[in-house]
Amino acid sequence: MMDDTARVVRPQPLRDAVARIIAGTGSVEREAHQVADNLVLANLKGHDSHGVGMVPRYVDAYLEGGLQVNREPLVRVDAGPMLGIDGQFGYGQSIGEAAMTMAIARARQHGVCVMGLGQVHHLGRIGHWAEQAANQGLVSLHFVNVLARPLVAPWGGAASRFGTNPCCIGIPLRNADPIILDYATSVVAQGKMRVAHNKGQRVREGMLIDPEGTPTTDPAVVVTEPLGALLTFGEYKGFGMALVCELLGGALSGGGTCHQEVHGQRRVYNGMLSVLIDPARLDRDDHFFRESDAFLAWLRSVPVAPGFDKVRVAGEPEREAMAQRERDGFEVDLATWSEILNAAEKLGIAAAQVESAVSG
Ligand code: NAD
């Protein structure tokens, strides 16, 4: 089904089409499907900024040599509960899953695991890794930095110095789905500013500064040169979170921090420090699960404020989006779709082939 600005896609044909494009970068079938499944899952969870719209960027990163295919994680530090992993600039989707699988095994063995993962290409939606741990009954904390063109200004700064540095915490519960708190420390994703700019819209105050550091509502300042910057959420509090994500996700992970200009390269590297905790090993008398249940019941007994339909906890909006999008399919805007077809053609895959895959 098509309208003027978007086409509606079904998850499985889209997975097949994306896997075909990723295979065109030389990935073995398993990796191609891991990348495709991960990106489509981000769309299903409602985070289109981290869904299939990333394919053109990945293809460019591969073509410029910044993204390596079919890489395995290289363990550089292996000391009981401490793991230091080098992702060898491989796809974050395959390296991330393998690294998290190792970390989960260590957390089971020792009760806790601290894992630094660096030199890895884009890890996508960070909540994915917290979900992998929570599905195994583990609490996890993730601090992530982004090595690409810096987009976000420090509180009080007049220019960008770091990326959208996401932070994520997953908490498994006994009688409910896990809490998955997962957000960028910038007030909004840069992709959302591009959409507003393309539509000729202004955005609300408190999101952007222009190249002189003056507040503006014009999204062009993070889309076209000369660039201004995005601001962090929560003023200096969000800046503090972004700072610790840079130092823990960048410096302590071994991946490196953002401290120089990036000249036009399309690759996006992430560094991630993850701490995994087995609650069953710290807990006494089932206290953790009982107290969590008691608190959530108390929380949910709150009266709903005017203008809201209900109180949601972190992870719930994504599950709601997924139920609806799996049922109805979801829209990919036509600009993004044509960039995806263009990326396929750069790899020698005819647009018609991708079209026929996505049409089922
Ligand atoms: P967001 O602003 O949509 O916030 C998402 C978080 O808020 C989730 O935990 C969600 O469950 C919770 N939430 C949303 N609405 C809620 C409500 N009404 N009540 C209670 N909780 C609610 O997310 P974002 O900052 O735009 O980030 C989107 C994604 O981008 C994340 O998955 C993040 O990991 C990813 N990201 C990745 C990178 C990278 O380099 N790999 C960089 C930045 C962001």
Side-chain angles (χ1 to χ4, degrees):
M1 192 192 352
M2 304 268 285
D3 70 15
D4 286 353
T5 59
R7 61 179 296 159
V8 174
V9 291
R10 312 285 322 172
Q12 192 51 46
L14 184 62
R15 280 187 201 105
D16 294 342
V18 170
R20 192 172 291 208
I21 300 173
I22 300 299
T25 68
S27 288
V28 295
E29 199 178 324
R30 180 167 186 270
E31 181 169 90
H33 282 282
Q34 271 176 314
V35 175
D37 291 358
N38 176 281
L39 293 178
V40 173
L41 186 58
N43 287 112
L44 287 170
K45 296 253 173 183
H47 291 292
D48 293 332
S49 57
H50 287 71
V52 296
M54 291 303 296
V55 168
R57 182 108 193 222
Y58 290 3
V59 168
D60 287 348
Y62 160 73
L63 291 172
E64 77 184 14
L67 165 60
Q68 308 296 319
V69 300
N70 303 325
R71 291 296 168 110
E72 298 291 334
L74 183 67
V75 179
R76 291 200 185 278
V77 176
D78 186 349
M82 312 291 276
L83 277 176
I85 296 178
D86 179 330
Q88 308 212 72
F89 305 109
Y91 272 111
Q93 285 79 3
S94 55
I95 298 284
E97 189 171 322
M100 281 298 297
T101 301
M102 278 187 248
I104 287 167
R106 293 299 166 96
R108 288 220 171 292
Q109 193 182 348
H110 301 284
V112 65
C113 174
V114 179
M115 177 186 69
L117 172 61
Q119 276 93 32
V120 62
H121 200 257
H122 194 239
L123 286 162
R125 191 178 62 88
I126 305 305
H128 189 84
W129 313 118
E131 286 162 6
Q132 192 182 339
N135 289 343
Q136 301 297 317
L138 301 174
V139 171
S140 69
L141 294 76
H142 309 264
F143 303 91
V144 178
N145 83 327
V146 188
L147 295 178
R149 192 180 72 180
L151 289 171
V152 186
W155 179 241
S160 59
R161 281 292 177 270
F162 46 85
T164 52
N165 294 6
C167 174
C168 175
I169 299 176
I171 305 177
L173 300 169
R174 178 162 297 156
N175 295 318
D177 291 316
I179 303 295
I180 304 289
L181 178 65
D182 172 30
Y183 54 77
T185 47
S186 53
V187 68
V188 71
Q190 198 261 356
K192 290 178 185 159
M193 297 295 96
R194 183 179 299 278
V195 171
H197 172 66
N198 290 346
K199 290 183 178 168
Q201 292 169 345
R202 292 261 163 180
V203 300
R204 68 174 166 79
E205 284 173 16
M207 290 184 165
L208 298 165
I209 53 174
D210 71 14
E212 281 72 51
T214 309
T216 176
T217 57
D218 182 359
V221 296
V222 288
V223 181
T224 57
E225 305 273 348
L227 292 173
L230 287 164
L231 297 174
T232 55
F233 81 90
E235 302 185 337
Y236 51 85
K237 299 184 189 185
F239 165 46
M241 283 299 298
L243 172 66
V244 301
C245 284
E246 191 69 36
L247 297 180
L248 299 180
L252 192 53
S253 75
T257 58
C258 179
H259 56 253
Q260 56 198 13
E261 292 295 330
V262 173
H263 297 289
Q265 289 123 306
R266 297 276 285 161
R267 88 285 185 288
V268 190
Y269 297 142
N270 281 140
M272 177 164 82
L273 184 85
S274 299
V275 180
L276 284 71
I277 303 164
D278 184 348
R281 300 281 292 270
L282 189 62
D283 202 16
R284 288 174 52 205
D285 306 327
D286 213 27
H287 188 258
F288 167 69
F289 286 117
R290 273 190 294 108
E291 282 299 305
S292 298
D293 281 349
F295 177 71
L296 281 159
W298 161 247
L299 189 74
R300 292 198 189 281
S301 73
V302 71
V304 176
F308 289 82
D309 63 335
K310 66 185 263 200
V311 169
R312 291 172 176 79
V313 296
E316 224 173 328
E318 285 76 12
R319 287 188 285 273
E320 288 176 354
M322 185 148 161
Q324 186 257 317
R325 286 181 168 208
E326 271 189 324
R327 188 185 62 230
D328 304 336
F330 55 89
E331 289 187 348
V332 176
D333 71 84
L334 291 187
T336 300
W337 185 246
S338 95
E339 284 172 17
I340 292 172
L341 296 181
N342 190 26
E345 284 184 333
K346 286 184 191 174
L347 298 169
I349 302 167
Q353 254 183 288
V354 181
E355 287 285 3
S356 97
V358 88
S359 304

